[in-house]
Each structure stands twice: as structure tokens, then as C-alpha cells.
Amino acid sequence: MAREIRVSVDDDEVFERMRARKRELDLSWEEVLHRGLRDREGGVEDLGDRIERQVTRRVEQSLGSAFGVDVGGPGDRDPTPGYEPDPPGGVDPAGPSTPGDPTAGTAGTAGTAGGTGGLDEEMETLANAEDAVLAFPTLADEPHNTVPLRVTIETGADGMAVDVVAVRTSRAAADRNRFDRGARRAIAEELAGGGTATLSLAAGEEEYPVVPELSWATEDGHPTVTEVEIVEVRFGD
């Protein structure tokens, strides 16, 4: 008997972040495949030709082994300048490590072999952060004029430091961060004139005047904040 299993997700920032990381990895693989070139001492070699030659050599060796025929030997080397034998286990599916390849040689990222620690740490940080809302006193008190965030907070003798982990994009925040035309200019003028925004936590039980730096994009004709940095928390304002 078939069973239907439904998973309810109240807040899916983690899933959105994982989808974004998957898109980054897909693009990096596409970049490697389309580049298709490897620097050599004597020039460049087409990646497709290299793979085809290695596969052909493997087939010949397998047939020779099956029929007891000695195929190649110590002198059977690829004539390509700068040729290096295949690594144990076959052709490296990640291709060459070239400058600009975001998946090559980056410690702690999901693009390295066994290096998912970076993504795991990012997910843990996101899960341990708390919800916050950034509002702007110069705009009407409407949800679409606010930016939903996930933040971590540190306090000490120097005051408070707020680290924005993510701009929330989950279904629970779908009615926020869709500003009207003209709102971006009003926010820019307010901040440039020394004004502040309001960071609210715990459903408004904690509020702090802050100075944010905002990065913008446009979605469906509406200005949308894509990144936030809290530069300063101003106590006493």
C-alpha cells in the first residue's frame, strides 16, 4: 500500500541556500567543460582530445589483458608535450586546476573532494542565527517596506556587532522586501543625511537604530534588497 509523506517547512532559507550553492557548482562545472583547455609547457591541449586518448588507451590495455597480449609498456607514453600519466583511478573528472576555477583548490568548499565542511558550517550558522527585520522610519509602516534577515549578534565593551547571515527569501517572508518605486531613493537620502534604520528582533521586543549598507536588485519591477551589512549600532539615538 502506497503512503504519501508530506514534509512541512516553515522557514526554508536553508533549502534556498543549498539551491544557490548547487547552481554555483553547476556553473563551475560548465565553465570547466566549456573552457576545455589545459596549459602545457609546449602550448595547450584540448581537454576532449585528452580524455578520448586516455579512454582509448584504457580499452586497448583491457583487451590486451583479456587476450594475453602485451599492449604498450614503459615506453608507451603520450607524445603530447608536458604529458603526465593518468592519476590512479582514471581521468580526473574535475579536469585541470586552472586559475579562476572556483571548485579547484578552495579549502572548505563543497566544490573540493570531501570538502563539504564549508557548506555544513554555513548551514549550521544559518540555522543558529535569529530572525530580524530591518525597517525604515521614512517609509510607511508596511511589510513590503521591510527586509527580513537572519542575524547573529555579539555584545561587548565596544557595543553591539550584528552580522547578517542572510536576507530571508522563504515563504514566510514572501510579503516583505518588495519596495515601491521611489522608496530606494528615500532610503538613500535618509542614510546619506545621517539617518538610521531600525533593526527589530523577537517580534519587535528588541529594537536598535542601525546604519546599514544595502545592495539592490529589481524583481518584477520592484526594488529588492539582496545584501545587507550593519555598519554600526547607534545606542542613544
Side-chain angles (χ1 to χ4, degrees):
M1 180 176 64
R3 285 194 312 172
E4 181 181 359
I5 300 176
R6 295 185 178 182
V7 178
S8 175
V9 180
D10 295 329
D11 209 4
D12 56 0
E13 272 81 13
V14 170
F15 297 95
E16 291 293 339
R17 187 60 61 90
M18 292 179 70
R19 292 190 192 102
R21 180 58 61 87
K22 179 181 182 300
R23 286 194 296 270
E24 292 175 3
L25 293 177
D26 288 346
L27 289 174
S28 64
W29 274 100
E30 183 178 351
E31 179 185 352
V32 170
L33 293 175
H34 282 295
R35 186 186 304 118
L37 295 176
R38 182 175 186 177
D39 292 331
R40 297 290 192 179
E41 292 180 0
V44 294
E45 177 192 11
D46 185 82
L47 181 60
D49 291 344
R50 176 173 177 257
I51 293 175
E52 181 181 357
R53 184 171 56 258
Q54 291 175 348
V55 170
T56 300
R57 187 162 59 251
R58 294 295 173 81
V59 171
E60 291 175 348
Q61 292 172 350
S62 297
L63 290 175
S65 177
F67 291 99
V69 179
D70 184 15
V71 179
D76 182 22
R77 292 181 54 83
D78 191 294
T80 306
Y83 164 78
E84 297 175 0
D86 297 340
V91 179
D92 181 1
S97 294
T98 56
D101 181 357
T103 64
T106 304
T109 66
T112 58
T116 57
L119 182 58
D120 291 340
E121 292 174 3
E122 189 176 356
M123 294 299 103
E124 184 177 359
T125 300
L126 190 61
N128 292 336
E130 57 184 303
D131 289 342
V133 175
L134 189 67
F136 305 92
T138 56
L139 304 180
D141 186 16
E142 298 288 344
H144 68 272
N145 286 332
T146 62
V147 183
L149 306 172
R150 295 284 286 178
V151 301
T152 58
I153 294 177
E154 294 182 358
T155 58
D158 294 331
M160 175 184 289
V162 180
D163 182 24
V164 178
V165 178
V167 175
R168 296 175 58 200
T169 56
S170 66
R171 290 186 294 274
D175 60 337
R176 299 184 183 273
N177 198 11
R178 290 176 59 82
F179 294 87
D180 296 328
R181 284 293 181 183
R184 177 163 51 187
R185 181 187 177 101
I187 293 171
E189 290 178 345
E190 176 70 15
L191 296 178
T196 60
T198 301
L199 184 71
S200 299
L201 297 94
E205 294 182 13
E206 288 184 59
E207 291 190 347
Y208 301 94
V210 297
V211 179
E213 285 189 357
L214 311 174
S215 297
W216 296 83
T218 302
E219 294 183 6
D220 299 329
H222 292 273
T224 299
V225 174
T226 57
E227 294 182 13
V228 177
E229 180 181 354
I230 303 300
V231 178
E232 182 184 358
V233 179
R234 289 185 179 171
F235 291 101
D237 283 7

